[in-house]
């Protein structure tokens, strides 16, 4: 039995592999998956196909992973939203806690609190002051119910003691477009999108959610700097396989993903996308993260009575 892992390594993979992305092309999970696929094809000498299956705030794509054969040839990108959906919607087509074999958490992502360039708001203090004067009159957009921008906005409201109206859209791109046109008051946009728009003068950045200032937006303060204490939320994206996938193949994916993510060139590329490498981690550690996030967001959704608003 001691030679089993070596035998598996020699005999696998022998056909194309698939990475399912539950969001559209151009989204952060899609960009990450394509970076990985390029490197995996070189290492494993087999095609690695990135398949986009967007819809239902990421449920459709992850359901496709759960229903795939547990043979190691299909994996998918799981992200923070997937640990929120069960509590928010009451039912999802799979059991998030048991339907998957977590392989590795790959990146952390941060967001930028942004407003339209024509907005009278020039600081977080301005936003909080006006929101207290006009509860639920100011709005914040997101890519959908349970999306990171939704959760960050709800957490921000709780910590700052204000009430903003949540406006969900069919994906973050639509929300950003609405923000630029001034149809909504603010949004916690992904760093990769916000940096480009801020530099082009299409958005104004008020703060970033990262623990330290972002090099790409060095003049924009962190939420902690402007007095929002206790804000520790950060997005994450990792790779999962269907439950029942042999441990040897989960380990093979984990080893190769950790190797790729440690490459200097890869760290630079994901940095340009507003991502930070999570560092080498094990399937057990990622399983623990998913479990703790499920517990945390279930409690948060219930305590804050988050509603599934329709756009």
């Amino acid at each position: 039995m001691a030679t089993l892992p070596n035998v598996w390594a020699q005999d696998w993979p022998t056909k194309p592999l698939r990475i399912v992305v539950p969001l559209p092309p151009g989204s952060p999970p899609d960009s990450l998956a394509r970076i990985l696929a390029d490197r995996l094809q070189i290492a494993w000498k087999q095609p690695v196909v990135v398949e986009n299956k967007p819809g239902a705030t990421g449920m459709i794509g992850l359901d496709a992973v759960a229903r795939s054969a547990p043979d190691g040839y299909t994996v998918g990108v799981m992200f923070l939203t997937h640990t929120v959906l069960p509590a928010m919607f009451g039912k999802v087509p799979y059991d998030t806690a048991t339907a998957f074999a977590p392989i590795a958490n790959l990146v952390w992502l941060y967001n930028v609190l942004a407003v339209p360039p024509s907005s009278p708001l020039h600081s977080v203090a301005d936003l909080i002051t006006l929101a207290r004067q006009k509860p639920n009159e100011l709005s914040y957009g997101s890519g959908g119910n349970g999306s990171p921008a939704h959760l960050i906005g709800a957490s921000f409201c709780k910590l700052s003691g204000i009430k903003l109206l949540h406006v969900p859209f069919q994906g973050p791109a639509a929300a950003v477009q609405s923000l630029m046109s001034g149809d909504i008051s603010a949004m916690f946009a992904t760093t990769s999108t916000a940096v480009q728009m801020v530099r082009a003068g299409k958005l104004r950045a008020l703060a970033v959610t990262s623990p330290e200032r972002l090099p790409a937006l060095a003049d924009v303060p962190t939420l902690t700097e402007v007095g929002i204490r206790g804000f520790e939320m950060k997005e994450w994206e990792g790779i999962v396989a269907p439950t029942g996938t042999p441990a040897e193949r989960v380990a093979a994916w984990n080893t190769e993903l950790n190797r790729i993510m440690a490459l200097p060139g890869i760290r630079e590329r994901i940095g340009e996308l507003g991502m930070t490498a999570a560092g080498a981690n094990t399937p057990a550690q990622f399983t623990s993260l998913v479990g703790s996030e499920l517990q945390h967001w279930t409690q948060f959704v219930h305590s804050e009575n988050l509603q599934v608003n329709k756009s």
Side-chain angles (χ1 to χ4, degrees):
M1 294 299 292
T3 61
L4 184 57
N6 290 330
V7 172
W8 280 63
Q10 293 169 4
D11 295 342
W12 185 89
T14 59
K15 63 181 182 179
L17 302 100
R18 179 174 65 142
I19 303 176
V20 177
V21 177
L23 291 180
S27 62
D30 176 73
S31 299
L32 177 62
R34 293 182 189 281
I35 291 172
L36 296 173
D38 288 344
R39 290 287 181 162
L40 289 166
Q41 289 179 147
I42 296 172
W44 283 341
K45 297 180 174 56
Q46 290 290 341
V48 179
V49 179
V50 175
E51 182 175 343
N52 297 90
K53 285 185 171 292
T57 322
M59 282 189 276
I60 291 176
L62 210 61
D63 186 43
V65 176
R67 295 173 182 273
S68 297
D71 55 10
Y73 285 95
T74 296
V75 299
V77 182
M78 176 185 280
F79 41 89
L80 181 149
T81 299
H82 291 117
T83 59
V84 182
L85 297 176
M88 183 161 287
F89 286 89
K91 183 180 181 180
V92 295
Y94 46 79
D95 186 334
T96 310
T98 63
F100 306 98
I103 294 174
N105 181 36
L106 301 180
V107 296
W108 304 112
L109 300 91
Y110 299 101
N111 294 67
V112 179
L113 174 54
V115 297
S118 60
S119 172
L121 307 174
H122 290 267
S123 67
V124 173
D126 288 346
L127 173 59
I128 292 174
T129 298
L130 190 57
R132 286 176 177 168
Q133 295 172 354
K134 301 179 178 182
N136 282 322
E137 289 191 29
L138 299 182
S139 59
Y140 73 98
S142 79
N145 291 295
S147 65
H150 178 197
L151 302 172
I152 294 171
S155 299
F156 173 76
C157 288
K158 179 180 181 180
L159 290 171
S160 57
I162 62 174
K163 293 183 179 180
L164 300 176
L165 176 66
H166 172 231
V167 183
F169 290 83
Q170 297 298 316
V176 171
Q177 287 296 321
S178 184
L179 178 64
M180 289 191 294
S181 65
D183 294 333
I184 54 176
S185 307
M187 179 180 176
F188 281 91
T190 58
T191 302
S192 56
T193 297
V195 169
Q196 299 174 29
M197 298 303 179
V198 170
R199 288 175 174 173
K202 296 180 179 180
L203 291 177
R204 178 187 303 142
L206 303 185
V208 295
T209 63
S210 52
E212 299 177 352
R213 292 196 181 199
L214 298 173
L217 295 172
D219 59 338
V220 179
T222 67
L223 284 175
T224 301
E225 285 183 77
V226 299
I228 308 299
R229 307 293 179 183
F231 196 96
E232 300 178 351
M233 179 181 169
K234 55 186 176 182
E235 296 183 48
W236 49 267
E237 294 177 3
I239 298 294
V240 299
T243 190
T245 299
E248 292 85 353
R249 297 191 179 181
V250 170
W253 272 99
N254 176 269
T255 297
E256 196 56 37
L257 290 172
N258 282 331
R259 184 191 68 79
I260 291 171
M261 293 301 296
L263 297 173
I266 296 299
R267 288 177 175 267
E268 292 176 6
R269 288 185 66 186
I270 65 171
E272 294 171 354
L273 296 172
M275 303 176 183
T276 301
N281 59 99
T282 66
Q285 288 173 319
F286 188 29
T287 299
S288 177
L289 173 64
V290 172
S292 63
E293 289 284 81
L294 278 168
Q295 182 178 11
H296 170 76
W297 291 113
T298 296
Q299 294 173 348
F300 184 85
V301 168
H302 292 161
S303 66
E304 298 305 304
N305 192 29
L306 294 188
Q307 300 296 315
V308 180
N309 299 322
K310 295 182 179 180
S311 58

